[in-house]
Amino acid sequence: MNTPRRVEHQLTDKGYVPVYTTAVVEQPWGDYTATDHEVWATLFKRQREILPGRASKEFLAQQEVMGMSAERIPKFDELNPVLRKATGWELIGVEGLLPELTFFEHLANRRFPVTWWIRKPDQLDYLSEPDLFHDLFGHVPLLMNPVFADYMAAYGRGGVKAHGIGPEALVNLTRLYWYTVEFGLIKEDDGLRIYGSGIVSSKSESIHCLESKAPNRIGFDLERIMRTRYRIDTFQKTYFVIDSYEQLMEATRPDFTPIYERLGQVESFPAGSVQPGDRVFNRGTGEGWLDDGDV
Ligand code: PHE
Ligand code: CO
């Protein structure tokens, strides 16, 4: 596979200048193999089968509006006009995880980085880094929602700021991303639903997060979340539940600087702990939990 390359136009004091970068790449759509398209189709059908009644209505509806389908790996260039028109966001192709500051700057400018490659057939259930299926199927549909779209851009700006404050602030902010964007639940009229991308792109966690008795399900609380460690290699021990996407936006509007200062003075909570003052939907049994490994 040749390394794709794209000309980025970056705004400098000399106006827009083209910059060659290896960080942002053209989606090499024509190079996807029949196997790549099959992996997409298999995962897409499998998730669309189990997600009705489990995923947020908004997620499912927006995914359809975007025109993603099992038929073939979507082209970023076909999704972009739809996304731009809805919320001003666009997708850019990347090789994988980006340096933090680069990632934040993309988000702040309403560019969502999507890994261009897709996992292999023997990785349908798990892989340790984000691929096209996770990024595109999991993250992109809610970028069509104006409130969630604003939240993601605000998060990007908040990330640039936290990066300037220091590594501890970044740890606190990353927990917020983890427990909302990646592993968030939302309370809808018919019950709890999934909106976190890390969940909707995983069959086993989509079922576990709602149906298992093991995890805690606790109401969203900004500072509590920013103080809580998480798991990267197992199901989450705790899921936090928002009442609405507006709640997320409103709760994160204030300046986080004093929060970072406060959190710098106190211990973090273990991933599975229940704290006084928590609004507990379910207290987990803790079945199957490993004792160590919270990050
Ligand atoms: N209000 C936050 C700050 O001052 C920025 C932010 C917004 C962070 C939304 C996360 C999500 O840093
Ligand atoms: Co992700």
Side-chain angles (χ1 to χ4, degrees):
M1 172 123 13
N2 22 350
T3 308
R5 194 184 54 181
R6 169 176 176 156
V7 182
E8 274 290 271
H9 297 281
Q10 216 170 64
L11 185 58
T12 69
D13 52 7
K14 295 183 186 66
Y16 280 96
V17 298
V19 177
Y20 287 90
T21 171
T22 52
V24 175
V25 299
E26 197 79 63
Q27 182 188 25
W29 197 85
D31 293 345
Y32 290 131
T33 64
T35 306
D36 291 335
H37 289 291
E38 269 166 44
V39 167
W40 168 268
T42 304
L43 289 169
F44 188 95
K45 286 186 217 149
R46 193 168 89 165
Q47 287 312 94
R48 288 292 310 194
E49 209 172 290
I50 66 158
L51 289 177
R54 289 197 177 94
S56 166
K57 284 197 197 77
E58 183 67 4
F59 174 91
L60 293 168
Q62 294 292 7
Q63 197 169 54
E64 275 165 40
V65 172
M66 289 201 87
M68 287 190 197
S69 82
E71 197 189 330
R72 55 179 175 79
I73 294 175
K75 293 182 180 172
F76 302 166
D77 287 349
E78 286 177 9
L79 300 176
N80 272 338
V82 184
L83 189 54
R84 266 192 216 108
K85 185 152 180 271
T87 57
W89 276 79
E90 64 174 339
L91 310 181
I92 53 170
V94 293
E95 298 283 352
L97 287 174
L98 296 172
E100 273 165 332
L101 188 56
T102 311
F103 179 62
F104 294 141
E105 282 168 345
H106 282 313
L107 297 186
N109 291 289
R110 295 189 181 244
R111 294 187 296 262
F112 192 79
V114 175
T115 305
W116 68 263
W117 53 268
I118 193 160
R119 67 192 73 184
K120 298 291 167 217
D122 60 359
Q123 298 171 309
L124 293 189
D125 295 315
Y126 183 78
L127 79 170
S128 61
E129 56 181 325
D131 73 333
L132 177 123
F133 186 74
H134 167 77
D135 288 339
L136 194 53
F137 183 97
H139 282 281
V140 174
L142 279 183
L143 292 174
M144 291 283 289
N145 173 285
V147 177
F148 195 84
D150 286 352
Y151 172 67
M152 289 292 284
Y155 178 84
R157 294 192 297 274
V160 173
K161 191 170 95 181
H163 189 270
I165 295 175
E168 284 103 19
L170 270 186
V171 167
N172 296 139
L173 187 68
T174 301
R175 290 172 180 166
L176 175 65
Y177 190 87
W178 192 263
Y179 280 121
T180 60
V181 177
E182 293 290 353
F183 290 95
L185 299 181
I186 182 166
K187 190 171 164 307
E188 293 187 351
D189 292 342
D190 301 331
L192 299 189
R193 295 289 184 270
I194 305 159
Y195 73 92
S197 318
I199 310 177
V200 286
S201 60
S202 157
K203 181 181 180 189
S204 54
E205 195 146 5
S206 291
I207 297 168
H208 176 88
C209 72
L210 295 172
E211 278 139 75
S212 169
K213 290 186 161 55
N216 303 311
R217 300 181 186 86
I218 294 173
F220 174 91
D221 175 330
L222 180 69
E223 226 165 301
R224 156 74 158 99
I225 289 176
M226 290 173 72
R227 207 177 154 177
T228 308
R229 297 179 197 281
Y230 57 88
R231 308 288 308 182
I232 54 169
D233 55 347
T234 63
F235 292 143
Q236 299 310 305
K237 293 178 173 179
T238 302
Y239 299 95
F240 290 94
V241 182
I242 59 171
D243 296 319
S244 64
Y245 299 114
E246 285 79 9
Q247 180 194 23
L248 204 49
M249 191 66 226
E250 288 312 311
T252 51
R253 212 182 278 284
D255 180 8
F256 284 8
T257 312
I259 304 182
Y260 295 137
E261 272 165 26
R262 272 201 295 283
L263 293 179
Q265 325 272 317
V266 295
E267 293 282 303
S268 297
F269 297 135
S273 74
V274 174
Q275 297 297 325
D278 280 349
R279 175 179 163 217
V280 179
F281 288 81
N282 304 101
R283 179 184 283 262
T285 60
E287 193 192 329
W289 284 2
L290 301 177
D291 291 338
D292 57 352
D294 292 4
V295 298

